[in-house]
Amino acid sequence: MSQPDGHSSTLDNLLNESRTFPPSEEFAGKANATAALYDEAAADREAFWAKQAERLHWDTRWDTVLDWSSAPFAKWFDGGRLNVAYNCADRHVAAGNGERVAIHWEGEPGDTRTITYAELQREVSRTANALAALGVGAGDRVAIYLPMLPEAVFSMLACARLGALHSVVFGGFSAEALRNRINDAEAKVVITSDGQYRRNKAMPLKANVDEAVRETPSVEHVLVVKRTDIDVEWDGDRDKWWHDVVDPQPDQHAPEAFDAEHPLFILYTSGTTGKPKGILHTSGGYLTQAAYTHHNVFDLKPESDVFWCTADIGWVTGHTYIVYGPLANGATQVIYEGTPNTPHEGRHWEIVQKYGVTLYYTAPTTIRTFMKWGAQIPAEYDLSTLRVLGSVGEPINPEAWIWYRENIGGGRTPIVDTWWQTETGAIMISPLPGVTAAKPGSAQRPLPGISAKVVDEEGGEVGKGGGGLLVLDKPWPSMLRGIWGDDQRFVDTYWARFAEQGYYFAGDGAKYDADGDLWLLGRVDDVMNVSGHRISTTEVESALVSHDNVAEAAVVGASDPTTGQGIVAFVILRGGVDDAAGGEAALKELREHVSKEIGPIAKPRQIMVVPELPKTRSGKIMRRLLRDVAENREVGDVSTLADSSVMDLISQGLTSSSDD
């Protein structure tokens, strides 16, 4: 245990995990990525990325691989020209793969659609023709506010085809959140649907658009997909049905090539100031890294694999690993409209079995939900087709990792625990499934061609076993090119902290283990300072989840007169665990368990059993709200919560629980 004095600028590295899982000889022998990829990238980074870019179709080859002369504003493949939508549809048809399935779409009520690459090309062409008829051209912005429908994919690719920027807004966001994003981007057209299915109910969606566009002067048209047949209000001048406008269009459209640095999309992410940040991504570098990472991290064999990323297209994971990466690689994939427990808790495994899914990519929060429901549910299905499992969105606890491998992966599949952000555009740190001996809970090392370091507050690299701040010290192809309309905010937010060194600071804490592998420790804002020790919430949560009774945990630091901060834990018990597990003796046992796993310094001051945790709609735990509860403050803004009633339950429970 490190001593408090002199260690306040680094994270204490407390939790040890020594289990490793090398790939089987059979898997490694057929893997897309080999260890040689690291050497090739290290020998000549720019030549390495040029080779990855050659996997795409370019109308004009680039002059320069990387222009970093105006850092932190990068230009990748400058002078090159391509059409992103052509790369995701037409070129596969031209190569003779038009009859390959691009999308197996599964609706929540059980309706399905199978879309081949030839059909994808025709649908994207129709949609592009329709948008052009509505006045959308290169450089214009289109807001997309849709559930997980094929039309969402057609719309994104149609924008890319025309050189228009799409701004996808998650279908769970409020009218006000939508309005702010429409106005910031000055979107010309909004694409939505009459409603969406959520847990067997048809919920309105266009109604939010109607409310949002009352104060959006840039919007000229609202294009509406008929999904649920619920009644909608109608403005005859502004509103247009998709089937009236898109379906009659010709199914041919000649794509134009755009500059590699032509903007592709804006994706808004929440900012600390409350004003959302419009993260800007461009075309050539983004598509290069999306395709490269999808091919190597998931070991994609497009002729035989069925890929399923369970994210929503409203998040960056849905952009890169549903739309652009898989389709650029000619993959066959599953897209599912609904929730994992509609109409029953085995729905995901039923879909895996039905389509023979081989590559499955989901979030730790989803995995922990499956743990809570119990291993008996996936055991009822044939999951033998699965050969690679992935995790994304936050660090995965070692116990959830093990559960995932054993119960979903049959004890044999590699797991790729991927670290990246909306801002990075594509996966940055991850095991390579045919190369890496995986460690439960560790993202391990930067991918070939990517460079990352863990540094102290002054920017000096910490050694093996040390913890600190995660930085990216070299530019990468899919990096954000700015914040829409606010270059200064881009510089201040991501580059000011280590301006002298030229590092991008991600906002995440990380540590090296004794082997030099990377462990992500969550947002730096989520680090607790207990008696001078900087302790990561992630490590304490992992220790709690490693107890047999605990399915999920969230930990916060609450003000403490003695220690500065005291650790307060909120835990959800596993399905089938009896009520006594929430009793005083059981909670004392949990506190001792954390002490044993990490050290006495990390023992929670208080543990509370809760039915649910406050999460955003993308599954991230909102620790800010839990801190409010732990410090008896009025609970702050809950507008982005998936279920705001959760906070009432937690607040009630806390008043009746106390520490021993």
Side-chain angles (χ1 to χ4, degrees):
M1 177 68 65
S2 62
Q3 293 306 307
D5 46 303
H7 278 269
S8 62
S9 71
T10 59
L11 272 163
D12 284 328
N13 182 354
L14 300 170
L15 191 70
N16 285 313
E17 173 59 61
S18 54
R19 294 168 287 189
T20 59
F21 297 85
S24 69
E25 275 182 37
E26 187 193 2
F27 191 104
K30 296 176 185 167
N32 291 349
T34 65
L37 216 52
Y38 293 103
D39 300 331
E40 187 189 331
D44 188 336
R45 205 160 163 272
E46 291 191 14
F48 174 83
W49 282 116
K51 186 174 169 185
Q52 303 314 316
E54 281 160 6
R55 302 180 63 242
L56 304 178
H57 171 88
W58 295 80
D59 291 71
T60 308
R61 196 183 155 83
W62 55 88
D63 306 316
T64 327
V65 176
L66 169 63
D67 177 353
W68 192 228
S69 60
S70 302
F73 297 91
K75 286 182 179 172
W76 280 88
F77 310 113
D78 198 26
R81 295 177 73 80
L82 78 169
N83 186 285
V84 169
Y86 179 90
N87 272 283
C88 293
D90 308 59
R91 72 174 173 138
H92 306 308
V93 179
N97 294 319
E99 292 314 303
R100 179 183 295 165
V101 173
I103 297 166
H104 290 295
W105 178 79
E106 182 88 10
E108 192 186 83
D111 50 337
T112 61
R113 286 171 72 179
T114 301
I115 298 154
T116 64
Y117 274 95
E119 289 168 303
L120 180 66
Q121 180 189 18
R122 292 195 289 270
E123 293 291 353
V124 172
S125 296
R126 276 195 194 99
T127 310
N129 286 325
L131 289 176
L134 295 177
V136 174
D140 287 334
R141 276 80 63 202
V142 173
I144 298 172
Y145 185 64
L146 279 169
M148 293 293 288
L149 302 176
E151 287 81 3
V153 179
F154 305 157
S155 298
M156 291 167 76
L157 291 177
C159 289
R161 199 172 188 92
L162 296 169
L165 291 73
H166 56 71
S167 165
V168 181
V169 181
F170 174 58
F173 276 157
S174 66
E176 188 180 354
L178 175 62
R179 179 190 302 126
N180 291 339
R181 287 156 174 78
I182 291 171
N183 282 334
D184 190 71
E186 297 177 7
K188 209 174 197 179
V189 172
V190 181
I191 304 176
T192 189
S193 59
D194 53 355
Q196 59 182 336
Y197 287 107
R198 267 285 168 269
R199 297 196 163 86
N200 281 332
K201 286 197 192 94
M203 313 286 286
L205 197 61
K206 181 177 182 285
N208 278 356
V209 178
D210 293 339
E211 192 183 326
V213 299
R214 283 189 195 127
E215 296 164 47
T216 55
S218 60
V219 173
E220 296 171 12
H221 300 287
V222 175
L223 190 56
V224 188
V225 178
K226 190 180 274 277
R227 172 65 182 137
T228 57
D229 277 330
I230 55 179
D231 288 337
V232 289
E233 287 182 21
W234 204 255
D235 176 325
D237 295 329
R238 182 196 68 205
D239 298 345
K240 309 230 172 337
W241 284 113
W242 177 283
H243 55 262
D244 288 340
V245 177
V246 179
D247 292 359
Q249 294 291 339
D251 63 7
Q252 301 289 308
H253 175 273
E256 180 189 339
F258 294 99
D259 191 87
E261 284 300 331
H262 185 81
L264 180 63
F265 64 85
I266 304 166
L267 184 57
Y268 286 88
T269 182
S270 52
T272 46
T273 62
K275 181 181 190 287
K277 303 186 295 253
I279 304 302
L280 179 67
H281 283 287
T282 57
S283 302
Y286 170 79
L287 195 64
T288 294
Q289 194 171 331
Y292 156 73
T293 51
H294 183 252
H295 175 77
N296 286 295
V297 173
F298 298 101
D299 193 50
L300 175 80
K301 320 286 190 201
E303 306 78 24
S304 53
D305 275 321
V306 179
F307 177 74
W308 184 13
C309 167
T310 72
D312 190 282
I313 51 138
W315 312 117
V316 72
T317 304
H319 283 53
T320 308
Y321 299 106
I322 293 176
V323 182
Y324 293 110
L327 296 177
N329 286 335
T332 296
Q333 67 175 324
V334 169
I335 296 180
Y336 171 51
E337 178 187 29
T339 52
N341 57 349
T342 307
H344 55 80
E345 291 170 347
R347 184 69 187 268
H348 271 215
W349 318 126
E350 184 177 73
I351 291 171
V352 168
Q353 179 176 289
K354 176 177 176 179
Y355 294 107
V357 171
T358 57
L359 317 172
Y360 178 81
Y361 193 32
T362 197
T365 184
T366 311
I367 297 160
R368 291 191 297 262
T369 300
F370 294 142
M371 283 173 72
K372 188 170 65 179
W373 294 343
Q376 74 283 357
I377 294 170
E380 290 172 27
Y381 298 89
D382 178 5
L383 306 182
S384 61
T385 54
L386 289 168
R387 62 181 202 86
V388 177
L389 299 175
S391 164
V392 60
E394 59 185 339
I396 181 171
N397 327 81
E399 291 312 314
W401 192 105
I402 294 286
W403 188 94
Y404 192 26
R405 181 182 163 98
E406 290 302 314
N407 294 286
I408 309 305
R412 59 186 164 75
T413 54
I415 294 179
V416 289
D417 174 9
T418 63
W419 177 86
W420 59 297
Q421 305 173 305
T422 304
E423 292 87 345
T424 70
I427 296 168
M428 303 293 283
I429 302 172
S430 170
L432 285 176
V435 180
T436 316
K439 287 180 187 169
S442 172
Q444 298 195 278
R445 63 185 289 196
L447 291 177
I450 300 299
S451 188
K453 286 180 176 171
V454 181
V455 299
D456 59 25
E457 301 277 347
E458 288 71 51
E461 188 165 9
V462 303
K464 286 183 180 178
L469 310 175
L470 180 69
V471 297
L472 302 169
D473 60 324
K474 290 183 180 147
W476 63 98
S478 65
M479 66 195 294
L480 76 165
R481 299 301 198 266
I483 292 173
W484 179 255
D486 199 340
D487 286 349
Q488 192 55 48
R489 189 179 181 193
F490 166 65
V491 174
D492 293 346
T493 304
Y494 301 107
W495 304 91
R497 178 80 180 258
F498 296 109
E500 197 181 314
Q501 296 91 342
Y503 295 162
Y504 167 95
F505 174 50
D508 281 345
K511 68 181 186 184
Y512 292 118
D513 64 17
D515 301 324
D517 281 331
L518 277 165
W519 293 73
L520 273 299
L521 297 173
R523 306 296 294 168
V524 171
D525 317 345
D526 293 331
V527 169
M528 303 170 292
N529 198 324
V530 182
S531 301
H533 292 277
R534 285 164 54 83
I535 298 172
S536 148
T537 55
T538 303
E539 291 197 311
V540 183
E541 287 162 5
S542 290
L544 285 162
V545 174
S546 72
H547 192 282
D548 290 344
N549 289 347
V550 178
E552 187 151 21
V555 166
V556 296
S559 299
D560 187 286
T562 314
T563 58
Q565 280 190 311
I567 298 173
V568 178
F570 300 81
V571 301
I572 299 175
L573 300 177
R574 289 199 190 191
V577 172
D578 66 23
D579 289 345
E584 208 168 301
L587 294 183
K588 186 170 184 183
E589 183 194 322
L590 272 183
R591 293 175 71 241
E592 291 306 325
H593 176 74
V594 173
S595 181
K596 184 168 105 337
E597 290 288 305
I598 296 183
I601 192 76
K603 189 194 284 191
R605 176 182 88 188
Q606 186 172 3
I607 296 179
M608 181 185 160
V609 175
V610 293
E612 286 299 335
L613 291 168
K615 290 178 186 171
T616 65
R617 292 179 180 88
S618 66
K620 287 202 170 61
I621 296 168
M622 292 193 73
R623 292 179 185 82
R624 164 177 69 77
L625 299 178
L626 292 173
R627 270 195 296 273
D628 290 344
V629 170
E631 297 187 338
N632 297 316
R633 284 196 302 272
E634 191 175 328
V635 173
D637 175 26
V638 295
S639 62
T640 55
L641 277 186
D643 177 4
S644 54
S645 64
V646 167
M647 291 313 299
D648 300 333
L649 293 169
I650 291 173
S651 300
Q652 287 158 18
L654 195 69
T655 52
S656 61
S657 112
S658 66
D659 177 25
D660 64 349

